[in-house]
Amino acid sequence: MENKALENLMTRRSVRSFSSRPVEQEKLDAILKASTYAPNGMGKQSPVIVLVKSPETVKKISRMNAAVIGREIDPFYGAPVVAVVFGNKASVPTWFEDACLAAGNLLNAAHAVGVDSCYVYRAKEVFSSAEGLALLKEWGLGDNYVGVANCVLGYRDGEAPQPAPRKADYVRIV
């Protein structure tokens, strides 16, 4: 079956080497808008997405993320933009799942408009640190917000990653 949406879902790949080329604001706006249409518990729209374009702040969050794993690396792979997805733990029982779905929509929307991406873990640890809590306060988010995902965005530096073969027992029909 040919379908552009399905093709988009099956061809998106995580990119782990980004060029310094900036992402056009029009594309960022489209990506962010699509992310807000993710399914969410009770229609409460509990996630909040903070788009970080400031190179200094992107580097700061990357450094904080690397500190969580105890390595001096760039876990954001040189991406010029990071969208941090937060869940509001005081909103609905599905706050975490809601934020994950928003992050998934964000990654797929990025691919749909030709922007590369990668889901980077450790947002919870970064934004529960003293330095991370200070950023939350600076961004106008209260204590109920928990970091769920770092979605790095940009344009790949090099060839497109190839997909791994899908495992045989991924889907079971009963």
Side-chain angles (χ1 to χ4, degrees), residues 4-24:
K4 189 72 173 165
L6 293 176
E7 180 184 330
N8 187 64
L9 292 170
M10 292 186 282
T11 57
R12 192 206 71 79
R13 298 287 169 264
S14 293
V15 169
R16 292 183 178 85
S17 181
F18 290 88
S19 74
S20 59
R21 177 180 161 198
V23 179
E24 300 85 348

Side-chain angles (χ1 to χ4, degrees), residues 19-165:
S19 74
S20 59
R21 177 180 161 198
V23 179
E24 300 85 348
Q25 189 61 48
E26 178 182 37
K27 289 184 178 185
L28 292 171
D29 292 343
I31 292 164
L32 292 169
K33 183 174 183 178
S35 69
T36 69
Y37 281 85
N40 57 84
M42 301 169 18
K44 296 294 184 185
Q45 302 177 36
S46 63
V48 169
I49 302 160
V50 175
L51 185 71
V52 181
K53 293 172 54 177
S54 157
E56 297 80 22
T57 307
V58 170
K59 286 179 186 167
K60 179 178 185 174
I61 299 168
S62 177
R63 177 189 48 77
M64 293 165 66
N65 194 295
V68 171
I69 55 176
R71 296 175 59 200
E72 290 188 30
I73 60 169
D74 176 10
F76 291 173
Y77 309 107
V81 178
V82 61
V84 186
V85 183
F86 294 93
N88 181 346
K89 65 183 178 184
S91 60
V92 291
T94 58
W95 66 268
F96 178 78
E97 292 83 355
D98 293 352
C100 289
L101 287 164
N105 262 30
L106 194 149
L107 297 169
N108 287 316
H111 181 59
V113 298
V115 174
D116 294 304
S117 65
C118 187
Y119 186 112
V120 179
Y121 295 88
R122 297 171 296 279
K124 179 181 179 183
E125 295 85 350
V126 165
F127 291 99
S128 62
S129 71
E131 197 173 10
L133 290 169
L135 283 172
L136 284 178
K137 186 175 182 179
E138 180 182 322
W139 298 339
L141 298 175
D143 296 339
N144 290 325
Y145 286 92
V146 178
V148 173
N150 299 293
C151 299
V152 297
L153 303 168
Y155 294 102
R156 70 178 166 263
D157 185 19
E159 297 298 314
Q162 295 303 305

